[in-house]
Amino acid sequence: MSHPHLLLFTVERIVCALPLSEVKQVVGMVALQPGQKGAPATLNLHGRHIPVYSARILLGLPDRSPLSTDFLVIVRSCAALRVDRVKGVQESPVPLPAPSPPGVLLTEDGTVLIHDLAALLAAGGEGVPLPPAAPAGAEVEAPPFDLERAGKLLQNRARALAQPEEEPHEAALSEILTFRLASREYAVETRYVREVFIIREITPVPGVPDFIAGICAVRGEIISVVDLRRVFSIPEEGLTDLNRVIVLTDGTMTFGILADYITDIGTTPTGDLSPVDPGSTPIGERYLLGVAEGSRFVLDAAAILADRGLVISEAGK
């Protein structure tokens, strides 16, 4: 049985999840329009005002003022959730349950799974199961973007988001996961992403090419971890963490690729991808679908997974 993919995010160090099928877009925090008489604030999304709910309030936690490092998860039911961080995408280990108030369950690993947002909104934060409080001094992830603190940034974002949408293209939309690697942004289609996790330990494997960072255990499965910087001779610019593993799969081949952090998840019209300018990247044309928004290289995950030279079969032995 195939399991749904989930968008993972954090609220006050609590890991939460929404079915990816319910997510329309994820954007950085923008200036909101205050609600009236207790109504939630609203977001001008291409001329349409949609309500923005604080995930803290919905989970029964004390609210706080929005920060420029917050994110807005815009759902297909024309609403948005304000959250602290977006962690990435992961395949759900269990099928989603039938809708039931308050639309939330606590999984075995302590993730708050919002499987029915409408029921949660109706419950108003009552009866939501939460994991035990994180211990003092627990690790808090650094913001995935280098954002200014000034309100001018939020106003500029709000104006951009309020612009009317362009006429729809006939080309299909691709859902892509964007990540940072060596000071540049790359993306892969989420249909090839099984999960994303913060790496704890990689076991080096002697005698393999240098682009094989090692192997690691994921849910009882041993997978190879590939460093794309070495595969494609990407220059190493600035500081890099490489503390995320994006697990790619096509159903036959599965391996992980290293990334500094996840920066975005959203959709892009496949017909709007620009050709790659010669010399703009050392990545070969066969491994690229094109360029999104002028600077984001969209990798051809199918071609990467099909390249048997990237995985050493003896690595998992």
Side-chain angles (χ1 to χ4, degrees):
M1 176 184 296
S2 62
H3 297 138
H5 283 76
L6 304 174
L7 175 72
L8 300 182
F9 56 90
T10 59
V11 179
E12 196 62 48
R13 293 185 291 180
I14 297 173
V15 179
C16 305
L18 269 173
L20 191 59
S21 60
E22 299 298 320
V23 178
K24 180 179 181 181
Q25 189 177 3
V26 177
V27 298
M29 189 63 197
V30 305
L32 303 176
Q33 300 178 7
Q36 297 181 350
K37 297 181 180 179
T42 60
L43 164 69
N44 185 341
L45 182 64
H46 308 306
R48 183 174 184 179
H49 294 269
I50 65 173
V52 177
Y53 299 94
S54 168
R56 291 168 178 266
I57 293 179
L58 293 179
L59 297 180
L61 301 171
D63 199 16
R64 63 157 169 76
S65 299
L67 302 176
S68 62
T69 51
D70 288 346
F71 286 84
L72 296 173
V73 179
I74 302 172
V75 297
R76 300 191 185 280
S77 57
C78 294
L81 291 180
R82 175 167 59 84
V83 305
D84 294 1
R85 303 282 183 269
V86 173
K87 294 173 62 67
V89 177
Q90 176 179 299
E91 187 177 27
S92 173
V94 294
L96 296 184
S100 61
V104 177
L105 62 84
L106 187 63
T107 66
E108 292 183 357
D109 64 0
T111 299
V112 177
L113 173 56
I114 304 173
H115 60 89
D116 186 350
L117 181 58
L120 175 61
L121 293 174
E126 294 293 332
V128 175
L130 294 178
E139 178 184 357
V140 179
E141 293 187 46
F145 296 118
D146 182 13
L147 296 176
E148 300 175 18
R149 298 180 181 179
K152 182 178 179 181
L153 174 65
L154 302 184
Q155 294 290 348
N156 290 339
R157 287 179 178 172
R159 282 192 289 270
L161 205 58
Q163 294 299 314
E165 285 188 293
E166 297 180 358
E167 290 297 322
H169 297 272
E170 294 183 1
L173 292 174
S174 284
E175 197 164 64
I176 60 174
L177 176 76
T178 303
F179 60 95
R180 182 66 61 86
L181 180 65
S183 301
R184 295 294 299 269
E185 283 197 331
Y186 300 88
V188 291
E189 294 176 282
T190 58
R191 61 190 174 124
Y192 293 105
V193 177
R194 193 178 79 181
E195 60 186 292
V196 179
F197 61 91
I198 297 177
I199 196 163
R200 300 301 179 191
E201 182 179 2
I202 293 181
T203 302
V205 180
V208 299
D210 63 354
F211 61 77
I212 300 292
I215 58 175
C216 67
V218 184
R219 304 182 188 279
E221 176 186 4
I222 301 299
I223 66 169
S224 299
V225 180
V226 175
D227 187 346
L228 294 183
R229 299 176 309 167
R230 300 190 180 278
V231 173
F232 299 123
S233 300
I234 298 173
E236 299 182 16
E237 301 176 359
L239 299 176
T240 182
D241 292 329
L242 293 179
N243 61 358
R244 264 68 167 177
V245 173
I246 303 172
V247 181
L248 302 179
T249 186
D250 59 5
T252 301
M253 179 65 70
T254 299
F255 58 82
I257 60 174
L258 291 172
D260 289 326
Y261 44 76
I262 307 304
T263 59
D264 195 11
I265 181 171
T267 57
T268 185
T270 54
D272 279 2
L273 295 179
S274 304
V276 179
D277 293 333
S280 61
T281 175
I283 301 176
E285 183 178 351
R286 61 173 291 200
Y287 298 107
L288 292 166
L289 294 177
V291 181
E293 299 178 358
S295 61
R296 187 186 314 176
F297 293 105
V298 182
L299 302 176
D300 188 339
I304 293 174
L305 287 162
D307 189 341
R308 296 301 187 260
L310 296 185
V311 176
I312 307 301
S313 60
E314 290 81 9
K317 293 185 178 181

